[in-house]
Amino acid sequence: MMDTMLAIATAVLTDAIRRKVVWVVVIFAAILSFVAPSLPSYGAGVVGSVYREVAISLLFAAALVVTLGLASTRIPAETERRTVYNILSRDVRRWQYLVGTWLGLCGVVGAVIAAFTVVAVAVGGIAYRETMWILFEAAFAVWLEMGVIAAITILLSARFGPVTNVVGALTFVFAGHSVGGLIGGVHGEPPWWLPSLDVFNVIAPVAHGSGYGIGYAAGMVGAFGALSGLLLLGATALFERRDL
């Protein structure tokens, strides 16, 4: 069972390499290198914080582009090319196909985030003579959030085409980050039972503080597992009912 899903995940990775996804990283890394020396100075010791905030924002944008670009088109393209029929005819369950695809997407996005973070740490070290290993903490949070976004995009892909998938996923991201401010009261914190993507927003502690602790990381992993699991269950329910 696991071998089947890993085989599908490997196919997703291979396809991403063929589509030269790595160029996205190169482009954003070049932008980062270009803007880093021109960041405003607000006083000694603050420039590094501004750089880390910009780097995390660009990292999130790069990861979001890659996630939506791959996740929104994968299943619709395989359905249109009818390659999904060949996969499902080889004793592969539909949920295995979806979970394997999700695992492959998480692998691709993880590689992109890791490559971008290495570049960001290197640029930070050269420009500000400061070793910014703390950026890997932000990279981990971004990777977890991208896993959730990949799951909602796969859920939408079970029924809709790429354009609807992207619009729906972006709406999910906006709602997930703004729900706290909408119904969270004066402190902007959502109720404990309401899922929120803001748990993955670690810009403040990473860019302007000393990072987050093990307990907070465990909370993020728990939110990632719960949200991704529920979304993939929904995707399986929709895909099982689809007439292929």
Side-chain angles (χ1 to χ4, degrees):
M1 182 175 64
M2 196 62 195
D3 290 344
T4 299
M5 291 189 289
L6 289 178
I8 296 171
T10 302
V12 174
L13 283 166
T14 305
D15 183 59
I17 294 172
R18 182 179 59 81
R19 294 166 65 175
K20 298 181 176 60
V21 176
V22 69
W23 283 109
V24 175
V25 182
V26 174
I27 292 171
F28 275 87
I31 293 173
L32 177 63
S33 301
F34 177 77
V35 302
S38 62
L39 289 175
S41 174
Y42 300 112
V46 181
V47 174
S49 299
V50 175
Y51 170 77
R52 286 193 291 274
E53 188 167 343
V54 172
I56 295 170
S57 299
L58 284 174
L59 171 62
F60 179 85
L64 184 62
V65 169
V66 173
T67 302
L68 293 179
L70 294 178
S72 66
T73 58
R74 180 76 189 178
I75 294 176
E78 291 203 326
T79 303
E80 185 176 350
R81 294 197 304 263
R82 306 180 73 84
T83 51
V84 68
Y85 298 95
N86 296 331
I87 298 173
L88 297 178
S89 64
R90 297 176 181 174
D91 198 26
V92 176
R93 304 287 297 274
R94 294 191 182 193
W95 70 268
Q96 291 176 319
Y97 168 71
L98 294 178
V99 175
T101 300
W102 177 74
L103 289 174
L105 292 170
C106 289
V108 174
V109 175
V112 169
I113 288 174
F116 187 97
T117 306
V118 169
V119 173
V121 171
V123 172
I126 294 171
Y128 303 103
R129 300 186 182 282
E130 182 181 348
T131 304
M132 300 183 180
W133 298 118
I134 197 172
L135 286 175
F136 279 98
E137 293 189 21
F140 181 64
V142 170
W143 179 65
L144 292 177
E145 180 170 352
M146 291 305 124
V148 176
I149 294 173
I152 183 64
T153 310
I154 286 177
L155 184 151
L156 295 169
S157 296
R159 285 289 182 180
F160 305 108
V163 175
T164 304
N165 298 340
V166 171
V167 173
L170 289 175
T171 303
F172 176 83
V173 172
F174 176 78
H177 279 285
S178 60
V179 65
L182 290 174
I183 64 174
V186 293
H187 299 296
E189 296 179 357
W192 63 269
W193 48 265
L194 187 66
S196 169
L197 293 180
D198 249 2
V199 69
F200 303 112
N201 184 358
V202 295
I203 289 180
V206 171
H208 305 286
S210 56
Y212 53 81
I214 296 296
Y216 191 85
M220 287 195 300
V221 172
F224 161 77
L227 289 171
S228 299
L230 287 173
L231 291 170
L232 290 175
L233 280 174
T236 300
L238 289 176
F239 205 52
E240 289 286 355
R241 291 175 173 80
R242 184 167 179 174
D243 185 19
L244 295 174

